Amino acid sequence: MSLKKRRFKYLGESLIEGNIKITATFAIVVVFLIFIFIMRESLPIFFNGEVRQEITFGKLFKGTAWQPVSDNPRFSLWPIILGSLKVTLIALFFAVPVAIGAALYSSEFAGRRLKEFIKPAVELLAGIPSVVLGFFALMVMASFLKNIFGWEIRLNAVNAGIALGFAVIPSIYSLAEDAINAVPRSFREAALGLGASPWQTAVKVVLPAALPGVSAAVLFGMGRAVGETMVVLMAAGNAPLFSFNPLNSTRTMTATIAAELGEVVFGSGHYHALFFIGLVLFLVTFVINMTSWALFDGLMSKLYGSKK
Amino acid sequence: MQTGTDRLEIKGFNLYYHRTKALEDISMTIPEKRVTAIIGPSGCGKSTLLRSINRMNEMIDGVKVEGQILLDGEDIYQKDIDVVELRRKVGMVFQRPNPFPKSIFENVAFGVRMGDNVPAKEKLEEVVERSLKEAAIWDEVKDRLHRSAMELSGGQQQRVCIARALAVEPEVILMDEPASALDPIATAKIEELIFRLKEKYTIVIVTHNMQQAARVSGFTAFLMLGKLVEFGPTEKMMTNPASKLTEEYITGRFG
């Protein structure tokens, strides 16, 4: 028998391979095109003379007021950048301990049955549409928190942050749990064999060993929080105030785009400013993702040695 | 041969995985400050028996035990035994080197840090140095104590793991095929080390390597299908075993 290839033997395989290649390329191309589109719509701020009479790059970072539709429109991004930052940090402050605690509990301490309950239950939380979470935060949680803590303003950054926390808990939990589960059993055995208690084993050995994955999970959650729109649109009070007080109403970059893009005059300075916000968001998430990778690699080589 | 005082005693010990009986009616006395080897064909329960001595089997679902294992006359399977304390007295070295992803120093200091009284820094440094010297690895790592232990070679990692076990000053050290993942040179180093450690510690070692058992151990237990076939001085087991099964196994007719 000859070793020569039969003519159509691998036809099926090469068809499938080609298909996968096309799909993958398509996904990348779409993301790239979106980026190009946002660039194109925000660049007039730099280059188009007509637009520049209304708005320039400098104006976006001058002052502290975002008042795009007043007689004397002002386009400072600071209040909404600050708003995004505030709400994101509050969300992480609330979500990170809960998610990592739950992940550690379900992989290290919970019995098999309980574990089989916790994981789907938390992941079910991910299935709640963000508009429902926002609605809950707006109608129920805000009044509840206001009554308990005696807040003056019902809808504020803390309220939105907590609601946003609920939205990102499942993502952080899920990734952190995977990272913790991936810690080899031999580490746990070694620690227990040395007379560490289960709690010490979990906190001093398993969690540090999973740190690269867990911190990547946190940053992933941060990316989600920065980009989440509906919850903050509904629960934060939507006033673009330049205030560091978390109990004031606030507005995020995402909510600004969502709230204003529908009614903006096409091609106006305001229109291009909104796209510029989109560009900033794009860059912020990009930087967060990059940091997450760098952190993961850095921690990996610190913990596991640079040999591998 | 004198067996010294007997501080570790296994009495009528049975172990089940769910319904399967993995160990059946094991009774033996492990002599103090000697090396006792447990040999037997794969799946005979030798690792299971070893792990029963510091209750590491409890991590596995569906394990049930009967009978007693006495350490200094105290049954370690009584209800009110503090397993954490037990494991500080009965240390363990595993088949594959498993240093933590921490520095060499932190690996060795780990057990001590997990204890009730964490010593001051200088004392801790002393303990680490002493343990690494005892494990015959000090000279190789003394200049890189704060580098990750994962960067070491397999044989070095295993000696760091031994140092880590020694640091908590156990009475008994259990070794589960400690050299089976290592090359011959690293193996020789570990064997030398075991030979010296028996001056201070009671050592129980599981091995599938007959020559290794002959080289390092004073006593040998031969297990088959979960039963203890024969237990006695290694020399006698190797040259003139009482049981036909033992003879067949050590001469390599099966296993």
Coordinates of all heavy atoms in Angstrom, one line a residue, chain A residues 104-186:
Chain A
L104 N -13.8 30.5 48.8 CA -13.0 29.7 49.7 C -13.8 28.8 50.5 O -13.5 27.6 50.7 CB -12.3 30.7 50.7 CG -11.0 30.2 51.4 CD1 -10.0 29.8 50.3 CD2 -10.4 31.3 52.2
Y105 N -15.0 29.2 51.0 CA -15.9 28.4 51.8 C -16.3 27.2 50.9 O -16.2 26.0 51.4 CB -17.1 29.1 52.3 CG -18.0 28.3 53.1 CD1 -17.7 27.8 54.4 CD2 -19.2 27.8 52.5 CE1 -18.5 27.0 55.0 CE2 -20.0 26.9 53.1 CZ -19.7 26.5 54.4 OH -20.5 25.7 55.1
S106 N -16.8 27.5 49.7 CA -17.4 26.4 49.0 C -16.3 25.4 48.5 O -16.6 24.2 48.4 CB -18.3 26.9 47.8 OG -17.4 27.4 46.8
S107 N -15.1 25.8 48.3 CA -14.1 24.8 47.9 C -13.4 24.2 49.0 O -12.8 23.1 48.9 CB -13.2 25.4 46.8 OG -12.3 26.3 47.4
E108 N -13.3 24.8 50.2 CA -12.4 24.3 51.2 C -13.2 23.7 52.4 O -12.8 22.8 53.0 CB -11.5 25.3 51.8 CG -10.5 25.9 50.8 CD -9.6 24.8 50.2 OE1 -8.9 24.2 51.0 OE2 -9.6 24.6 49.0
F109 N -14.4 24.2 52.7 CA -15.1 23.8 53.9 C -16.4 23.1 53.7 O -16.8 22.3 54.5 CB -15.2 25.0 54.8 CG -13.9 25.7 55.2 CD1 -13.5 26.8 54.7 CD2 -13.1 25.0 56.2 CE1 -12.3 27.4 55.0 CE2 -11.9 25.6 56.6 CZ -11.5 26.8 56.0
A110 N -17.1 23.6 52.7 CA -18.5 23.0 52.5 C -18.4 21.6 52.1 O -17.5 21.1 51.4 CB -19.2 23.8 51.4
G111 N -19.4 20.8 52.6 CA -19.5 19.4 52.2 C -19.9 19.3 50.8 O -20.2 20.3 50.2
R112 N -19.9 18.1 50.2 CA -20.1 18.0 48.8 C -21.5 18.5 48.4 O -21.7 19.2 47.4 CB -19.9 16.5 48.4 CG -19.6 16.4 46.9 CD -18.7 15.1 46.7 NE -19.1 14.0 47.5 CZ -19.8 13.0 47.1 NH1 -20.1 12.9 45.8 NH2 -20.1 12.0 47.9
R113 N -22.5 18.1 49.2 CA -23.9 18.5 48.9 C -24.0 20.0 48.9 O -24.6 20.6 48.0 CB -24.8 18.0 50.0 CG -25.2 16.6 49.7 CD -26.7 16.4 49.6 NE -26.9 15.0 49.6 CZ -27.3 14.2 50.6 NH1 -27.6 14.8 51.7 NH2 -27.4 12.9 50.5
L114 N -23.5 20.7 50.0 CA -23.6 22.1 50.1 C -22.9 22.8 49.0 O -23.4 23.8 48.4 CB -23.0 22.6 51.4 CG -23.3 24.0 51.9 CD1 -24.8 24.2 52.0 CD2 -22.7 24.3 53.2
K115 N -21.8 22.3 48.6 CA -21.0 22.8 47.5 C -21.8 22.8 46.2 O -21.8 23.7 45.4 CB -19.7 22.0 47.4 CG -18.8 22.5 46.4 CD -17.5 21.7 46.4 CE -16.5 22.1 45.3 NZ -15.2 21.5 45.5
E116 N -22.4 21.6 46.0 CA -23.2 21.5 44.8 C -24.4 22.4 44.8 O -25.0 22.6 43.7 CB -23.7 20.0 44.7 CG -22.6 19.2 44.0 CD -22.8 17.7 44.1 OE1 -24.0 17.3 44.5 OE2 -21.9 16.9 43.9
F117 N -24.8 22.9 46.0 CA -25.9 23.9 46.0 C -25.3 25.3 45.8 O -25.9 26.1 45.0 CB -26.6 23.8 47.3 CG -27.6 24.9 47.6 CD1 -28.8 24.9 46.9 CD2 -27.3 25.9 48.5 CE1 -29.7 25.9 47.1 CE2 -28.2 27.0 48.7 CZ -29.4 27.0 48.0
I118 N -24.2 25.7 46.5 CA -23.7 27.0 46.5 C -23.3 27.5 45.1 O -23.7 28.6 44.6 CB -22.5 27.2 47.4 CG1 -22.9 26.9 48.8 CG2 -21.9 28.6 47.3 CD1 -21.7 26.9 49.8
K119 N -22.6 26.6 44.4 CA -22.1 27.1 43.1 C -23.2 27.4 42.1 O -23.2 28.6 41.6 CB -21.2 26.0 42.5 CG -20.0 26.5 41.7 CD -19.0 25.4 41.3 CE -18.4 25.7 40.0 NZ -17.3 26.7 39.9
P120 N -24.1 26.6 41.9 CA -25.2 27.0 41.0 C -26.0 28.2 41.5 O -26.5 29.0 40.7 CB -26.1 25.8 40.9 CG -25.5 24.7 41.6 CD -24.3 25.2 42.3
A121 N -26.2 28.3 42.8 CA -26.9 29.4 43.4 C -26.3 30.7 43.1 O -26.9 31.6 42.7 CB -27.1 29.2 44.9
V122 N -25.0 30.7 43.3 CA -24.3 32.0 43.0 C -24.3 32.3 41.5 O -24.5 33.4 41.1 CB -22.8 31.9 43.5 CG1 -22.1 33.2 43.1 CG2 -22.8 31.8 45.0
E123 N -24.1 31.2 40.7 CA -24.1 31.5 39.3 C -25.5 31.9 38.7 O -25.6 32.5 37.7 CB -23.6 30.2 38.5 CG -22.0 30.3 38.5 CD -21.3 29.0 38.4 OE1 -22.0 27.9 38.1 OE2 -20.1 28.9 38.6
L124 N -26.5 31.5 39.5 CA -27.9 31.9 39.2 C -28.0 33.4 39.3 O -28.7 34.1 38.5 CB -28.9 31.2 40.1 CG -30.3 31.1 39.6 CD1 -30.4 30.2 38.4 CD2 -31.2 30.6 40.7
L125 N -27.3 34.0 40.3 CA -27.3 35.4 40.5 C -26.8 36.1 39.3 O -27.2 37.2 38.9 CB -26.3 35.7 41.7 CG -26.3 37.1 42.3 CD1 -27.7 37.5 42.9 CD2 -25.3 37.2 43.4
A126 N -25.9 35.5 38.6 CA -25.3 36.0 37.3 C -26.4 36.1 36.3 O -26.4 36.9 35.3 CB -24.2 35.2 36.8
G127 N -27.4 35.3 36.4 CA -28.5 35.3 35.4 C -29.6 36.3 35.6 O -30.4 36.5 34.7
I128 N -29.5 37.0 36.7 CA -30.5 38.1 36.9 C -30.2 39.2 36.0 O -29.1 39.8 36.0 CB -30.5 38.6 38.4 CG1 -30.8 37.5 39.4 CG2 -31.4 39.7 38.6 CD1 -30.7 37.9 40.8
P129 N -31.1 39.7 35.2 CA -30.8 40.8 34.3 C -30.5 42.0 35.1 O -31.1 42.2 36.1 CB -32.2 41.0 33.5 CG -32.9 39.7 33.7 CD -32.5 39.1 35.0
S130 N -29.5 42.8 34.6 CA -29.1 43.9 35.4 C -30.2 44.9 35.6 O -30.2 45.7 36.6 CB -27.8 44.6 34.8 OG -28.1 45.0 33.5
V131 N -31.2 45.0 34.7 CA -32.3 45.9 34.9 C -33.1 45.5 36.1 O -33.6 46.4 36.8 CB -33.1 46.0 33.6 CG1 -33.8 44.7 33.3 CG2 -34.1 47.2 33.7
V132 N -33.2 44.2 36.3 CA -33.9 43.8 37.5 C -33.2 44.1 38.8 O -33.8 44.6 39.8 CB -34.2 42.2 37.4 CG1 -34.8 41.7 38.7 CG2 -35.1 41.9 36.2
L133 N -31.9 43.9 38.8 CA -31.1 44.3 39.9 C -31.2 45.8 40.1 O -31.3 46.3 41.3 CB -29.6 44.0 39.6 CG -29.0 42.7 40.2 CD1 -27.5 42.6 39.8 CD2 -29.1 42.7 41.7
G134 N -31.2 46.6 39.1 CA -31.3 48.0 39.2 C -32.6 48.4 39.7 O -32.7 49.3 40.6
F135 N -33.6 47.8 39.3 CA -35.0 48.0 39.7 C -35.1 47.8 41.2 O -35.6 48.6 42.0 CB -36.0 47.1 39.0 CG -37.4 47.4 39.3 CD1 -38.0 48.5 38.9 CD2 -38.1 46.4 40.0 CE1 -39.4 48.7 39.2 CE2 -39.4 46.7 40.4 CZ -40.1 47.8 39.9
F136 N -34.5 46.7 41.7 CA -34.5 46.3 43.1 C -33.8 47.3 43.9 O -34.3 47.8 45.0 CB -33.9 44.9 43.2 CG -33.6 44.5 44.6 CD1 -34.7 44.0 45.4 CD2 -32.4 44.6 45.2 CE1 -34.5 43.7 46.7 CE2 -32.2 44.2 46.5 CZ -33.2 43.7 47.3
A137 N -32.6 47.7 43.4 CA -31.8 48.7 44.1 C -32.6 50.1 44.2 O -32.6 50.8 45.2 CB -30.5 48.9 43.4
L138 N -33.3 50.4 43.1 CA -34.0 51.7 43.1 C -35.2 51.7 44.0 O -35.4 52.6 44.7 CB -34.4 51.9 41.6 CG -35.3 53.1 41.3 CD1 -34.5 54.4 41.5 CD2 -35.8 53.0 39.8
M139 N -36.0 50.6 43.9 CA -37.3 50.6 44.6 C -37.2 50.1 46.0 O -37.9 50.5 46.9 CB -38.3 49.8 43.8 CG -38.5 50.2 42.4 SD -39.0 51.9 42.2 CE -40.7 51.9 42.9
V140 N -36.4 49.1 46.3 CA -36.4 48.5 47.6 C -35.2 48.8 48.4 O -35.3 49.4 49.5 CB -36.5 46.9 47.4 CG1 -36.5 46.2 48.8 CG2 -37.6 46.5 46.5
M141 N -34.0 48.5 47.9 CA -32.8 48.6 48.7 C -32.5 50.1 49.1 O -32.1 50.3 50.2 CB -31.6 48.1 47.9 CG -30.5 47.7 48.7 SD -29.2 46.8 47.8 CE -28.4 48.1 46.9
A142 N -32.7 51.0 48.2 CA -32.4 52.4 48.5 C -33.2 52.9 49.7 O -32.6 53.5 50.6 CB -32.7 53.3 47.3
S143 N -34.5 52.6 49.7 CA -35.3 53.1 50.9 C -34.9 52.4 52.1 O -34.8 53.0 53.2 CB -36.8 52.8 50.6 OG -37.1 53.3 49.4
F144 N -34.6 51.1 52.0 CA -34.2 50.3 53.1 C -33.0 50.8 53.8 O -32.9 51.1 55.0 CB -34.0 48.8 52.6 CG -33.6 47.9 53.7 CD1 -34.5 47.4 54.6 CD2 -32.3 47.4 53.7 CE1 -34.1 46.5 55.6 CE2 -31.9 46.5 54.7 CZ -32.8 46.1 55.6
L145 N -31.9 51.1 53.0 CA -30.7 51.6 53.5 C -30.8 53.0 54.0 O -30.3 53.3 55.1 CB -29.6 51.6 52.3 CG -29.1 50.2 51.9 CD1 -28.2 50.3 50.7 CD2 -28.5 49.4 53.0
K146 N -31.7 53.8 53.4 CA -31.9 55.1 53.8 C -32.5 55.2 55.2 O -32.0 55.9 56.1 CB -32.8 55.9 52.8 CG -33.1 57.3 53.2 CD -33.9 58.0 52.2 CE -34.1 59.4 52.4 NZ -35.3 59.8 53.1
N147 N -33.4 54.3 55.4 CA -34.1 54.2 56.7 C -33.2 53.7 57.8 O -33.2 54.2 58.9 CB -35.3 53.3 56.7 CG -36.4 54.0 55.8 OD1 -36.4 55.2 55.7 ND2 -37.3 53.1 55.3
I148 N -32.3 52.7 57.5 CA -31.4 52.2 58.5 C -30.4 53.2 58.9 O -30.1 53.4 60.0 CB -30.8 50.9 57.9 CG1 -31.8 49.7 57.9 CG2 -29.6 50.5 58.8 CD1 -31.2 48.4 57.5
F149 N -29.7 53.8 57.8 CA -28.6 54.6 58.1 C -28.9 56.1 58.2 O -28.0 56.9 58.5 CB -27.5 54.4 57.1 CG -26.9 53.0 57.1 CD1 -27.3 52.1 56.0 CD2 -26.1 52.5 58.1 CE1 -26.8 50.8 56.0 CE2 -25.6 51.2 58.1 CZ -26.0 50.4 57.1
G150 N -30.2 56.4 58.0 CA -30.6 57.8 58.0 C -29.9 58.7 57.0 O -29.5 59.8 57.3
W151 N -29.7 58.2 55.8 CA -29.1 59.0 54.7 C -30.0 60.1 54.3 O -31.2 59.9 54.3 CB -28.8 58.1 53.5 CG -27.7 57.1 53.8 CD1 -26.7 57.2 54.8 CD2 -27.4 55.9 53.1 NE1 -25.9 56.1 54.7 CE2 -26.3 55.3 53.7 CE3 -27.9 55.3 51.9 CZ2 -25.7 54.1 53.2 CZ3 -27.4 54.2 51.5 CH2 -26.3 53.5 52.1
E152 N -29.4 61.2 53.8 CA -30.3 62.3 53.3 C -30.7 62.0 51.9 O -31.8 62.3 51.5 CB -29.4 63.6 53.3 CG -29.5 64.3 54.6 CD -28.6 65.5 54.5 OE1 -28.7 66.3 53.6 OE2 -27.8 65.7 55.5
I153 N -29.8 61.4 51.1 CA -30.1 61.2 49.7 C -30.3 59.7 49.5 O -29.5 58.9 49.8 CB -29.0 61.7 48.8 CG1 -28.8 63.2 49.1 CG2 -29.3 61.4 47.4 CD1 -27.4 63.7 48.8
R154 N -31.5 59.4 49.0 CA -31.8 58.0 48.8 C -30.9 57.3 47.8 O -30.3 56.2 48.1 CB -33.3 57.9 48.3 CG -34.1 56.7 48.9 CD -35.5 56.9 48.5 NE -35.7 56.7 47.1 CZ -35.9 55.6 46.5 NH1 -36.1 54.5 47.2 NH2 -36.1 55.5 45.2
L155 N -30.8 57.9 46.6 CA -30.0 57.2 45.6 C -28.6 57.8 45.5 O -28.5 59.0 45.2 CB -30.7 57.4 44.2 CG -32.1 56.8 44.1 CD1 -32.7 57.1 42.7 CD2 -32.0 55.3 44.3
N156 N -27.7 57.0 46.0 CA -26.3 57.6 46.0 C -25.3 56.5 45.6 O -25.7 55.4 45.2 CB -26.0 58.0 47.5 CG -26.3 56.9 48.5 OD1 -25.9 55.7 48.2 ND2 -26.9 57.2 49.6
A157 N -24.0 56.9 45.7 CA -23.0 56.0 45.2 C -22.9 54.7 46.0 O -22.6 53.6 45.4 CB -21.6 56.7 45.2
V158 N -23.2 54.7 47.3 CA -23.1 53.5 48.1 C -24.2 52.5 47.6 O -24.0 51.3 47.4 CB -23.2 53.8 49.6 CG1 -23.3 52.5 50.4 CG2 -22.0 54.6 50.0
N159 N -25.4 53.1 47.5 CA -26.5 52.2 47.1 C -26.2 51.6 45.7 O -26.4 50.4 45.5 CB -27.8 53.1 46.9 CG -29.0 52.3 46.6 OD1 -29.3 51.3 47.2 ND2 -29.7 52.8 45.5
A160 N -25.8 52.4 44.8 CA -25.4 51.9 43.4 C -24.3 50.9 43.5 O -24.3 49.8 42.9 CB -25.1 53.0 42.5
G161 N -23.3 51.2 44.4 CA -22.1 50.3 44.5 C -22.5 49.0 45.0 O -22.0 47.9 44.5
I162 N -23.4 48.9 46.0 CA -23.8 47.6 46.5 C -24.5 46.8 45.5 O -24.3 45.6 45.3 CB -24.6 47.8 47.8 CG1 -23.7 48.4 48.9 CG2 -25.2 46.5 48.3 CD1 -24.5 48.7 50.2
A163 N -25.5 47.5 44.8 CA -26.2 46.8 43.7 C -25.3 46.3 42.6 O -25.4 45.2 42.2 CB -27.2 47.7 43.1
L164 N -24.3 47.1 42.3 CA -23.3 46.7 41.3 C -22.5 45.6 41.8 O -22.1 44.7 41.1 CB -22.4 47.9 41.0 CG -21.4 47.8 39.9 CD1 -22.1 47.4 38.6 CD2 -20.6 49.1 39.7
G165 N -22.2 45.6 43.1 CA -21.5 44.5 43.8 C -22.2 43.2 43.5 O -21.6 42.2 43.1
F166 N -23.5 43.2 43.7 CA -24.3 42.0 43.4 C -24.1 41.5 42.0 O -24.1 40.3 41.7 CB -25.8 42.2 43.7 CG -26.2 42.1 45.1 CD1 -26.7 43.2 45.8 CD2 -26.0 41.0 45.8 CE1 -27.0 43.2 47.1 CE2 -26.3 40.9 47.2 CZ -26.9 42.0 47.8
A167 N -24.0 42.5 41.1 CA -23.9 42.1 39.7 C -22.5 41.5 39.4 O -22.4 40.6 38.5 CB -24.1 43.3 38.8
V168 N -21.5 41.9 40.1 CA -20.1 41.3 39.8 C -19.7 40.2 40.7 O -18.8 39.5 40.4 CB -19.0 42.4 39.8 CG1 -19.3 43.4 38.7 CG2 -18.9 43.0 41.1
I169 N -20.4 39.9 41.8 CA -20.1 38.8 42.7 C -20.0 37.5 41.9 O -19.0 36.8 42.1 CB -21.1 38.7 43.9 CG1 -20.7 39.7 44.9 CG2 -21.0 37.3 44.5 CD1 -21.7 39.8 46.1
P170 N -21.0 37.2 41.1 CA -20.9 35.9 40.4 C -19.6 35.7 39.5 O -19.0 34.6 39.5 CB -22.1 35.8 39.5 CG -23.0 36.8 40.1 CD -22.2 37.8 40.7
S171 N -19.2 36.8 38.8 CA -18.0 36.7 38.0 C -16.8 36.4 38.8 O -16.0 35.5 38.5 CB -17.8 37.9 37.1 OG -19.0 38.6 36.9
I172 N -16.7 37.2 39.9 CA -15.5 37.1 40.7 C -15.5 35.7 41.4 O -14.5 35.0 41.4 CB -15.4 38.2 41.8 CG1 -15.4 39.6 41.1 CG2 -14.2 38.0 42.7 CD1 -15.3 40.7 42.1
Y173 N -16.6 35.4 41.9 CA -16.8 34.1 42.6 C -16.4 32.9 41.7 O -15.6 32.1 42.1 CB -18.2 33.9 43.1 CG -18.5 32.4 43.6 CD1 -18.2 32.0 44.8 CD2 -19.0 31.5 42.7 CE1 -18.4 30.7 45.3 CE2 -19.3 30.2 43.1 CZ -19.0 29.8 44.4 OH -19.2 28.5 44.8
S174 N -16.9 32.9 40.5 CA -16.7 31.8 39.6 C -15.2 31.6 39.3 O -14.7 30.5 39.3 CB -17.6 32.1 38.4 OG -17.6 31.0 37.6
L175 N -14.6 32.8 38.9 CA -13.2 32.7 38.6 C -12.3 32.3 39.8 O -11.4 31.5 39.7 CB -12.7 34.0 37.9 CG -13.2 34.2 36.5 CD1 -12.7 35.6 36.0 CD2 -12.6 33.2 35.6
A176 N -12.6 33.0 40.9 CA -11.8 32.7 42.1 C -12.0 31.2 42.5 O -11.0 30.6 42.9 CB -12.3 33.6 43.2
E177 N -13.2 30.7 42.4 CA -13.4 29.3 42.8 C -12.6 28.4 41.9 O -12.0 27.4 42.4 CB -14.9 29.0 42.7 CG -15.4 28.1 43.8 CD -15.7 26.7 43.4 OE1 -15.5 26.4 42.2 OE2 -16.2 25.9 44.2
D178 N -12.6 28.7 40.6 CA -11.8 27.9 39.7 C -10.3 27.9 40.1 O -9.6 26.9 40.2 CB -11.9 28.4 38.3 CG -13.3 28.1 37.7 OD1 -14.0 27.2 38.3 OD2 -13.6 28.6 36.7
A179 N -9.8 29.1 40.5 CA -8.4 29.2 40.8 C -8.1 28.5 42.1 O -7.1 27.8 42.2 CB -8.1 30.7 41.0
I180 N -9.0 28.6 43.1 CA -8.8 27.9 44.4 C -8.9 26.4 44.2 O -8.1 25.6 44.7 CB -9.8 28.4 45.4 CG1 -9.5 29.8 45.8 CG2 -9.8 27.5 46.6 CD1 -10.6 30.5 46.6
N181 N -9.8 25.9 43.4 CA -10.0 24.5 43.1 C -8.7 23.9 42.4 O -8.4 22.8 42.5 CB -11.2 24.2 42.2 CG -12.3 23.7 43.1 OD1 -12.1 23.0 44.1 ND2 -13.5 24.0 42.7
A182 N -8.1 24.8 41.6 CA -6.9 24.3 40.8 C -5.7 24.2 41.7 O -4.7 23.6 41.2 CB -6.7 25.3 39.7
V183 N -5.7 24.6 42.9 CA -4.6 24.4 43.8 C -4.4 22.9 44.1 O -5.4 22.3 44.5 CB -4.7 25.2 45.1 CG1 -3.6 24.9 46.1 CG2 -4.8 26.7 44.9
P184 N -3.2 22.4 43.8 CA -3.1 20.9 43.9 C -3.4 20.4 45.3 O -3.1 21.1 46.3 CB -1.6 20.7 43.6 CG -1.1 21.9 43.0 CD -2.0 23.0 43.4
R185 N -4.0 19.3 45.4 CA -4.3 18.7 46.7 C -3.1 18.5 47.6 O -3.1 18.5 48.8 CB -5.1 17.4 46.5 CG -6.1 17.1 47.6 CD -6.8 15.8 47.4 NE -6.0 14.7 47.6 CZ -6.4 13.5 47.7 NH1 -7.7 13.2 47.6 NH2 -5.6 12.5 48.0
S186 N -1.9 18.3 46.9 CA -0.7 18.0 47.6 C -0.3 19.1 48.6 O 0.2 18.9 49.6 CB 0.4 17.7 46.7 OG 0.7 18.8 45.9

